[in-house]
Protein backbone atom coordinates (compact mmCIF):
# COMPACT_ATOMS: atom_id res chain seq x y z
CA UNK A 1 0.00 0.00 0.00
CA UNK A 2 1.32 3.43 -0.96
CA UNK A 3 2.47 5.84 1.73
CA UNK A 4 0.40 8.93 2.46
CA UNK A 5 1.79 12.06 0.81
CA UNK A 6 1.85 14.51 3.72
CA UNK A 7 2.11 17.57 1.41
CA UNK A 8 -0.98 16.59 -0.56
CA UNK A 9 -2.71 13.78 1.32
CA UNK A 10 -6.04 14.17 -0.48
CA UNK A 11 -4.50 12.95 -3.75
CA UNK A 12 -3.36 9.80 -1.99
CA UNK A 13 -6.83 9.29 -0.55
CA UNK A 14 -8.39 9.82 -3.99
CA UNK A 15 -6.18 6.99 -5.19
CA UNK A 16 -7.60 4.79 -2.45
CA UNK A 17 -11.12 5.73 -3.57
CA UNK A 18 -10.20 4.83 -7.14
CA UNK A 19 -9.12 1.38 -5.93
CA UNK A 20 -12.45 0.95 -4.16
CA UNK A 21 -14.27 2.04 -7.31
CA UNK A 22 -12.34 -0.34 -9.56
CA UNK A 23 -14.45 -3.42 -10.25
CA UNK A 24 -11.35 -5.34 -11.35
CA UNK A 25 -9.36 -4.69 -8.13
CA UNK A 26 -8.96 -7.64 -5.77
CA UNK A 27 -10.94 -7.62 -2.54
CA UNK A 28 -7.75 -7.73 -0.43
CA UNK A 29 -6.48 -4.56 -2.14
CA UNK A 30 -9.84 -2.86 -1.64
CA UNK A 31 -9.75 -3.76 2.04
CA UNK A 32 -6.28 -2.22 2.44
CA UNK A 33 -7.48 0.95 0.70
CA UNK A 34 -10.52 1.12 2.99
CA UNK A 35 -8.35 0.59 6.08
CA UNK A 36 -6.03 3.41 4.98
CA UNK A 37 -8.98 5.74 4.45
CA UNK A 38 -10.39 4.85 7.86
CA UNK A 39 -7.05 5.25 9.62
CA UNK A 40 -6.46 8.73 8.16
CA UNK A 41 -10.08 9.88 8.09
CA UNK A 42 -9.57 12.78 10.51
CA UNK A 43 -6.71 14.09 8.34
CA UNK A 44 -9.01 14.03 5.32
CA UNK A 45 -11.78 15.88 7.13
CA UNK A 46 -9.39 18.68 8.14
CA UNK A 47 -8.23 19.23 4.56
CA UNK A 48 -9.48 22.26 2.54
CA UNK A 49 -10.36 19.77 -0.21
CA UNK A 50 -12.71 17.87 2.11
CA UNK A 51 -16.03 19.08 0.55
CA UNK A 52 -15.09 17.76 -2.90
CA UNK A 53 -13.65 14.60 -1.35
CA UNK A 54 -16.93 14.09 0.53
CA UNK A 55 -18.93 14.32 -2.69
CA UNK A 56 -16.74 11.79 -4.47
CA UNK A 57 -16.35 9.37 -1.57
CA UNK A 58 -20.06 9.20 -0.75
CA UNK A 59 -20.90 8.27 -4.34
CA UNK A 60 -18.44 5.38 -4.16
CA UNK A 61 -19.45 4.34 -0.63
CA UNK A 62 -23.13 4.32 -1.58
CA UNK A 63 -22.50 2.32 -4.73
CA UNK A 64 -20.58 -0.34 -2.79
CA UNK A 65 -23.32 -0.57 -0.16
CA UNK A 66 -26.05 -0.59 -2.81
CA UNK A 67 -24.54 -3.11 -5.22
CA UNK A 68 -22.74 -5.37 -2.76
CA UNK A 69 -24.38 -8.40 -1.22
CA UNK A 70 -24.81 -8.49 2.59
CA UNK A 71 -22.23 -10.76 4.20
CA UNK A 72 -22.97 -13.04 7.15
CA UNK A 73 -19.54 -14.50 7.83
CA UNK A 74 -17.84 -11.97 10.08
CA UNK A 75 -14.38 -12.74 8.71
CA UNK A 76 -15.28 -12.17 5.04
CA UNK A 77 -13.20 -9.46 3.37
CA UNK A 78 -16.27 -7.72 1.96
CA UNK A 79 -17.86 -7.64 5.41
CA UNK A 80 -14.80 -5.79 6.74
CA UNK A 81 -15.03 -3.34 3.82
CA UNK A 82 -18.77 -2.70 4.25
CA UNK A 83 -18.48 -2.21 8.00
CA UNK A 84 -15.52 0.19 7.66
CA UNK A 85 -17.45 2.22 5.09
CA UNK A 86 -20.46 2.47 7.40
CA UNK A 87 -18.21 3.48 10.30
CA UNK A 88 -16.66 6.25 8.17
CA UNK A 89 -20.12 7.54 7.25
CA UNK A 90 -20.92 7.57 10.96
CA UNK A 91 -17.76 9.60 11.61
CA UNK A 92 -18.56 12.29 9.03
CA UNK A 93 -18.58 15.74 10.64
CA UNK A 94 -21.95 17.46 10.96
CA UNK A 95 -21.42 20.29 8.46
CA UNK A 96 -23.43 22.08 5.78
CA UNK A 97 -21.50 20.07 3.20
CA UNK A 98 -23.17 16.95 4.56
CA UNK A 99 -26.71 18.34 4.59
CA UNK A 100 -27.38 17.77 0.89
CA UNK A 101 -26.49 14.08 1.30
CA UNK A 102 -28.63 13.39 4.37
CA UNK A 103 -31.71 12.09 2.53
CA UNK A 104 -29.77 9.65 0.34
CA UNK A 105 -27.74 8.39 3.31
CA UNK A 106 -30.86 7.78 5.41
CA UNK A 107 -32.54 5.96 2.51
CA UNK A 108 -29.51 3.68 2.20
CA UNK A 109 -29.36 3.04 5.95
CA UNK A 110 -33.05 2.08 6.01
CA UNK A 111 -32.40 -0.41 3.23
CA UNK A 112 -29.48 -1.91 5.17
CA UNK A 113 -31.71 -2.36 8.23
CA UNK A 114 -33.91 -4.79 6.34
CA UNK A 115 -31.28 -6.89 4.62
CA UNK A 116 -27.90 -6.73 6.33
CA UNK A 117 -26.21 -8.37 9.31
CA UNK A 118 -26.20 -7.41 12.97
CA UNK A 119 -22.90 -5.49 12.90
CA UNK A 120 -23.82 -3.32 9.94
CA UNK A 121 -27.39 -2.71 11.05
CA UNK A 122 -26.24 -1.42 14.46
CA UNK A 123 -23.92 1.11 12.76
CA UNK A 124 -26.71 2.07 10.35
CA UNK A 125 -29.10 2.73 13.23
CA UNK A 126 -26.55 5.01 14.86
CA UNK A 127 -26.11 6.92 11.59
CA UNK A 128 -29.88 7.39 11.32
CA UNK A 129 -30.01 8.67 14.90
CA UNK A 130 -27.15 11.17 14.43
CA UNK A 131 -28.49 12.55 11.16
CA UNK A 132 -31.98 13.01 12.59
CA UNK A 133 -30.67 14.62 15.76
CA UNK A 134 -28.60 17.21 13.94
CA UNK A 135 -30.43 17.83 10.65
CA UNK A 136 -34.04 17.00 11.56
CA UNK A 137 -34.96 16.20 7.96
CA UNK A 138 -38.51 16.85 6.82
CA UNK A 139 -41.01 14.03 7.28
CA UNK A 140 -41.39 11.52 4.47
CA UNK A 141 -43.22 8.18 4.13
CA UNK A 142 -39.96 6.27 4.76
CA UNK A 143 -40.33 7.11 8.46
CA UNK A 144 -43.72 5.38 8.67
CA UNK A 145 -42.32 2.40 6.77
CA UNK A 146 -39.45 2.24 9.26
CA UNK A 147 -41.83 2.29 12.24
CA UNK A 148 -43.89 -0.50 10.67
CA UNK A 149 -40.68 -2.45 10.15
CA UNK A 150 -39.82 -2.07 13.86
CA UNK A 151 -43.36 -3.12 14.82
CA UNK A 152 -42.96 -6.26 12.73
CA UNK A 153 -39.81 -7.14 14.70
CA UNK A 154 -41.65 -6.78 18.02
CA UNK A 155 -44.71 -8.62 16.68
CA UNK A 156 -42.67 -11.63 15.58
CA UNK A 157 -40.49 -11.85 18.69
CA UNK A 158 -42.80 -14.12 20.77
CA UNK A 159 -42.81 -16.67 17.94
CA UNK A 160 -39.01 -16.90 18.11
CA UNK A 161 -38.60 -17.50 21.85
CA UNK A 162 -37.92 -21.24 21.67
CA UNK A 163 -35.42 -20.85 18.81
CA UNK A 164 -33.64 -17.99 20.59
CA UNK A 165 -32.74 -20.11 23.59
CA UNK A 166 -32.70 -23.64 22.27
CA UNK A 167 -30.63 -23.30 19.09
CA UNK A 168 -27.02 -24.28 19.66
CA UNK A 169 -24.44 -21.55 19.10
CA UNK A 170 -21.94 -24.11 17.80
CA UNK A 171 -21.93 -25.28 14.17
CA UNK A 172 -19.60 -28.10 13.09
CA UNK A 173 -18.91 -28.70 9.39
CA UNK A 174 -16.09 -29.84 7.11
CA UNK A 175 -16.46 -27.06 4.51
CA UNK A 176 -18.04 -23.60 4.51
CA UNK A 177 -19.73 -24.54 1.23
CA UNK A 178 -21.84 -27.02 3.20
CA UNK A 179 -23.62 -24.23 5.07
CA UNK A 180 -27.29 -23.69 4.30
CA UNK A 181 -27.43 -19.96 4.96
CA UNK A 182 -31.19 -19.67 4.45
CA UNK A 183 -31.84 -22.16 7.24
CA UNK A 184 -29.10 -20.94 9.59
CA UNK A 185 -30.04 -17.28 9.26
CA UNK A 186 -33.71 -18.04 9.89
CA UNK A 187 -32.84 -19.22 13.41
CA UNK A 188 -29.81 -17.06 14.35
CA UNK A 189 -30.48 -14.36 16.95
CA UNK A 190 -26.90 -13.82 18.05
CA UNK A 191 -23.45 -14.65 16.70
CA UNK A 192 -22.92 -18.38 16.13
CA UNK A 193 -19.49 -20.05 16.04
CA UNK A 194 -18.69 -22.16 12.97
CA UNK A 195 -16.05 -24.85 13.37
CA UNK A 196 -14.66 -26.01 10.03
CA UNK A 197 -12.69 -29.20 10.50
CA UNK A 198 -10.69 -30.11 7.40
CA UNK A 199 -8.83 -33.38 7.01
CA UNK A 200 -5.40 -33.29 5.35
CA UNK A 201 -4.15 -36.85 5.01
CA UNK A 202 -3.90 -38.05 8.61
CA UNK A 203 -4.01 -34.56 10.15
CA UNK A 204 -7.08 -32.53 10.94
CA UNK A 205 -7.03 -28.73 10.84
CA UNK A 206 -9.76 -26.60 12.37
CA UNK A 207 -10.75 -23.07 11.35
CA UNK A 208 -13.22 -20.94 13.27
CA UNK A 209 -15.63 -18.42 11.77
CA UNK A 210 -18.51 -16.40 13.13
CA UNK A 211 -21.99 -16.37 11.62
CA UNK A 212 -23.59 -12.95 12.03
CA UNK A 213 -27.37 -12.93 12.51
CA UNK A 214 -29.59 -10.87 10.27
CA UNK A 215 -30.32 -7.49 11.80
CA UNK A 216 -34.06 -8.11 11.82
CA UNK A 217 -33.58 -11.08 14.19
CA UNK A 218 -30.64 -9.81 16.25
CA UNK A 219 -31.12 -9.37 19.99
CA UNK A 220 -28.43 -6.69 20.00
CA UNK A 221 -30.31 -4.74 17.32
CA UNK A 222 -33.50 -5.13 19.37
CA UNK A 223 -31.75 -3.25 22.18
CA UNK A 224 -31.12 -0.30 19.84
CA UNK A 225 -34.67 0.11 18.52
CA UNK A 226 -36.48 1.88 21.41
CA UNK A 227 -34.28 4.98 21.37
CA UNK A 228 -34.75 5.52 17.65
CA UNK A 229 -38.55 5.17 17.88
CA UNK A 230 -38.55 7.75 20.69
CA UNK A 231 -36.43 10.08 18.55
CA UNK A 232 -38.80 9.71 15.58
CA UNK A 233 -41.73 10.60 17.85
CA UNK A 234 -39.94 13.66 19.21
CA UNK A 235 -39.19 14.96 15.71
CA UNK A 236 -42.38 13.92 13.86
CA UNK A 237 -44.92 13.85 16.70
CA UNK A 238 -48.05 14.76 14.73
CA UNK A 239 -47.24 12.51 11.79
CA UNK A 240 -46.40 9.35 13.76
CA UNK A 241 -48.61 9.62 16.85
CA UNK A 242 -50.87 6.74 15.76
CA UNK A 243 -47.93 4.53 14.75
CA UNK A 244 -46.31 4.99 18.17
CA UNK A 245 -49.63 4.30 19.93
CA UNK A 246 -49.71 0.92 18.17
CA UNK A 247 -46.44 0.00 19.90
CA UNK A 248 -48.12 -0.14 23.34
CA UNK A 249 -49.46 -3.73 23.24
CA UNK A 250 -46.26 -4.89 21.54
CA UNK A 251 -44.14 -3.34 24.29
CA UNK A 252 -46.24 -4.93 27.01
CA UNK A 253 -46.04 -8.33 25.34
CA UNK A 254 -42.27 -8.02 24.91
CA UNK A 255 -41.50 -7.14 28.51
CA UNK A 256 -43.67 -10.02 29.73
CA UNK A 257 -41.91 -12.69 27.69
CA UNK A 258 -40.31 -15.07 30.19
CA UNK A 259 -37.82 -17.80 29.28
CA UNK A 260 -38.52 -21.10 30.99
CA UNK A 261 -36.30 -22.38 33.80
CA UNK A 262 -34.73 -24.80 31.33
CA UNK A 263 -34.03 -22.02 28.86
CA UNK A 264 -32.50 -19.86 31.60
CA UNK A 265 -30.11 -22.67 32.49
CA UNK A 266 -28.90 -23.42 28.98
CA UNK A 267 -25.14 -22.99 28.36
CA UNK A 268 -25.45 -19.93 26.07
CA UNK A 269 -25.69 -17.36 28.89
CA UNK A 270 -24.78 -14.48 26.57
CA UNK A 271 -28.08 -15.00 24.73
CA UNK A 272 -30.03 -14.69 27.97
CA UNK A 273 -28.07 -11.52 28.85
CA UNK A 274 -28.83 -10.00 25.42
CA UNK A 275 -32.50 -10.94 25.73
CA UNK A 276 -32.78 -9.34 29.17
CA UNK A 277 -30.93 -6.29 27.88
CA UNK A 278 -33.52 -5.94 25.11
CA UNK A 279 -36.34 -6.20 27.67
CA UNK A 280 -34.73 -3.55 29.89
CA UNK A 281 -34.36 -1.15 26.93
CA UNK A 282 -37.99 -1.86 26.00
CA UNK A 283 -38.98 -1.09 29.58
CA UNK A 284 -37.38 2.34 29.30
CA UNK A 285 -39.39 2.75 26.09
CA UNK A 286 -42.51 1.91 28.11
CA UNK A 287 -41.68 4.62 30.67
CA UNK A 288 -41.54 7.16 27.85
CA UNK A 289 -44.76 5.90 26.22
CA UNK A 290 -46.59 6.12 29.55
CA UNK A 291 -46.03 9.88 29.67
CA UNK A 292 -47.38 10.35 26.14
CA UNK A 293 -50.50 8.19 26.49
CA UNK A 294 -51.20 8.75 30.20
CA UNK A 295 -54.99 8.86 29.82
CA UNK A 296 -55.46 5.61 27.96
CA UNK A 297 -52.59 3.53 29.28
CA UNK A 298 -54.12 2.29 32.54
CA UNK A 299 -57.29 1.25 30.72
CA UNK A 300 -55.27 -0.64 28.11
CA UNK A 301 -53.25 -2.55 30.71
CA UNK A 302 -56.41 -3.66 32.49
CA UNK A 303 -57.91 -4.78 29.20
CA UNK A 304 -54.80 -6.80 28.33
CA UNK A 305 -54.84 -8.47 31.73
CA UNK A 306 -58.52 -9.35 31.38
CA UNK A 307 -57.86 -10.92 27.99
CA UNK A 308 -54.83 -12.82 29.35
CA UNK A 309 -52.43 -10.97 27.06
CA UNK A 310 -50.60 -9.66 30.10
CA UNK A 311 -49.72 -11.49 33.30
CA UNK A 312 -51.38 -9.76 36.24
CA UNK A 313 -48.66 -10.48 38.77
CA UNK A 314 -45.57 -9.91 36.68
CA UNK A 315 -43.01 -7.35 37.86
CA UNK A 316 -43.20 -5.60 34.46
CA UNK A 317 -46.97 -5.14 34.85
CA UNK A 318 -46.57 -3.79 38.39
CA UNK A 319 -44.04 -1.32 37.03
CA UNK A 320 -46.44 -0.15 34.28
CA UNK A 321 -49.39 0.24 36.66
CA UNK A 322 -47.35 2.18 39.22
CA UNK A 323 -46.15 4.59 36.54
CA UNK A 324 -49.67 5.31 35.30
CA UNK A 325 -50.66 6.43 38.79
CA UNK A 326 -48.21 9.35 38.93
Amino acid sequence: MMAVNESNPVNTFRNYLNILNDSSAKEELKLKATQELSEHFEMIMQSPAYPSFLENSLKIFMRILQDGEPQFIQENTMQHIRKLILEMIHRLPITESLRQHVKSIITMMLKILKSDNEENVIVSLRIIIELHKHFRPSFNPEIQLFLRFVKDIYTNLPNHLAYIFETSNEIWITDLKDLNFDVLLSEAYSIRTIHVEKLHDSNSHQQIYNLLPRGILSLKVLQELPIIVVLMYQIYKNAVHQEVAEFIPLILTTINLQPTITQRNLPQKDIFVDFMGAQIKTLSFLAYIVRIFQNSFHQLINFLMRTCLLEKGSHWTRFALSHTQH
Side-chain angles (χ1 to χ4, degrees):
M1 184 61 61
M2 65 192 80
V4 175
N5 184 339
E6 296 292 342
S7 62
N8 195 353
V10 173
N11 282 341
T12 304
F13 300 132
R14 286 197 181 106
N15 289 333
Y16 294 151
L17 285 176
N18 290 336
I19 292 171
L20 274 178
N21 203 33
D22 182 359
S23 59
S24 64
K26 293 182 178 180
E27 287 186 357
E28 290 75 14
L29 187 59
K30 288 186 177 185
L31 175 58
K32 289 179 182 177
T34 312
Q35 289 169 332
E36 289 290 335
L37 285 169
S38 178
E39 185 176 339
H40 297 93
F41 209 56
E42 277 66 32
M43 183 190 299
I44 300 170
M45 292 185 291
Q46 293 167 8
S47 164
Y50 168 69
S52 62
F53 178 87
L54 173 68
E55 186 84 22
N56 190 27
S57 62
L58 276 178
K59 285 180 183 177
I60 294 171
F61 289 170
M62 293 299 182
R63 185 191 61 75
I64 292 171
L65 293 173
Q66 171 71 35
D67 297 344
E69 291 291 326
Q71 305 294 310
F72 295 96
I73 298 296
Q74 191 176 44
E75 292 75 16
N76 277 2
T77 302
M78 277 310 301
Q79 167 55 17
H80 289 304
I81 292 172
R82 289 172 68 85
K83 187 181 179 186
L84 280 170
I85 286 174
L86 286 167
E87 288 173 343
M88 283 190 281
I89 294 173
H90 188 218
R91 290 160 61 193
L92 289 172
I94 304 301
T95 63
E96 284 304 305
S97 300
L98 184 59
R99 185 180 293 276
Q100 62 182 307
H101 302 289
V102 166
K103 187 178 186 303
S104 62
I105 294 174
I106 290 175
T107 298
M108 178 57 67
M109 296 307 108
L110 291 173
K111 179 185 176 186
I112 286 172
L113 295 187
K114 298 177 182 179
S115 60
D116 221 309
N117 66 60
E118 172 184 278
E119 286 189 338
N120 294 348
V121 167
I122 287 174
V123 181
S124 298
L125 283 170
R126 290 170 183 169
I127 292 170
I128 292 171
I129 289 171
E130 288 304 307
L131 293 181
H132 276 86
K133 274 184 180 178
H134 294 285
F135 291 103
R136 298 196 168 241
S138 57
F139 180 80
N140 69 73
E142 285 183 335
I143 303 304
Q144 285 174 317
L145 291 175
F146 166 74
L147 291 175
R148 288 173 197 159
F149 166 73
V150 175
K151 277 190 284 188
D152 286 343
I153 291 177
Y154 279 109
T155 300
N156 294 327
L157 184 63
N159 301 326
H160 299 156
L161 207 60
Y163 293 106
I164 288 173
F165 291 99
E166 295 172 20
T167 300
S168 172
N169 264 11
E170 305 288 323
I171 302 169
W172 297 83
I173 55 173
T174 56
D175 196 310
L176 273 180
K177 294 177 182 177
D178 296 338
L179 287 179
N180 186 330
F181 278 98
D182 289 339
V183 172
L184 290 174
L185 291 173
S186 70
E187 54 188 30
Y189 302 87
S190 59
I191 293 177
R192 300 180 68 183
T193 304
I194 303 170
H195 303 266
V196 180
E197 195 164 22
K198 294 187 176 182
L199 296 174
H200 297 286
D201 299 326
S202 59
N203 298 320
S204 64
H205 175 65
Q206 186 181 117
Q207 292 177 299
I208 296 178
Y209 300 91
N210 291 292
L211 179 75
L212 296 167
R214 297 173 66 202
I216 59 172
L217 295 182
S218 162
L219 294 175
K220 290 189 183 299
V221 168
L222 189 63
Q223 294 180 46
E224 303 288 329
L225 295 178
I227 188 173
I228 195 168
V229 176
V230 169
L231 179 63
M232 294 303 178
Y233 184 83
Q234 291 171 340
I235 298 175
Y236 307 113
K237 178 178 178 179
N238 294 332
V240 302
H241 188 84
Q242 181 56 39
E243 277 80 5
V244 173
E246 292 169 6
F247 273 95
I248 294 174
L250 300 176
I251 293 170
L252 295 173
T253 299
T254 299
I255 60 180
N256 274 283
L257 291 174
Q258 296 189 33
T260 65
I261 297 297
T262 301
Q263 290 169 341
R264 288 169 182 264
N265 293 327
L266 290 172
Q268 46 263 34
K269 298 297 183 185
D270 54 331
I271 294 178
F272 182 72
V273 170
D274 283 344
F275 183 79
M276 290 300 296
Q279 283 192 311
I280 290 168
K281 292 288 182 68
T282 307
L283 187 60
S284 67
F285 188 14
L286 173 65
Y288 179 81
I289 292 285
V290 167
R291 294 197 295 271
I292 299 172
F293 301 95
Q294 184 90 29
N295 294 333
S296 59
F297 201 80
H298 193 281
Q299 182 179 358
L300 177 62
I301 293 175
N302 284 328
F303 168 76
L304 291 172
M305 285 192 293
R306 287 198 308 272
T307 55
C308 301
L309 294 176
L310 195 60
E311 291 186 33
K312 186 174 181 180
S314 80
H315 58 291
W316 300 124
T317 305
R318 290 196 298 272
F319 171 88
L321 286 170
S322 68
H323 275 67
T324 60
Q325 294 165 0
H326 295 302

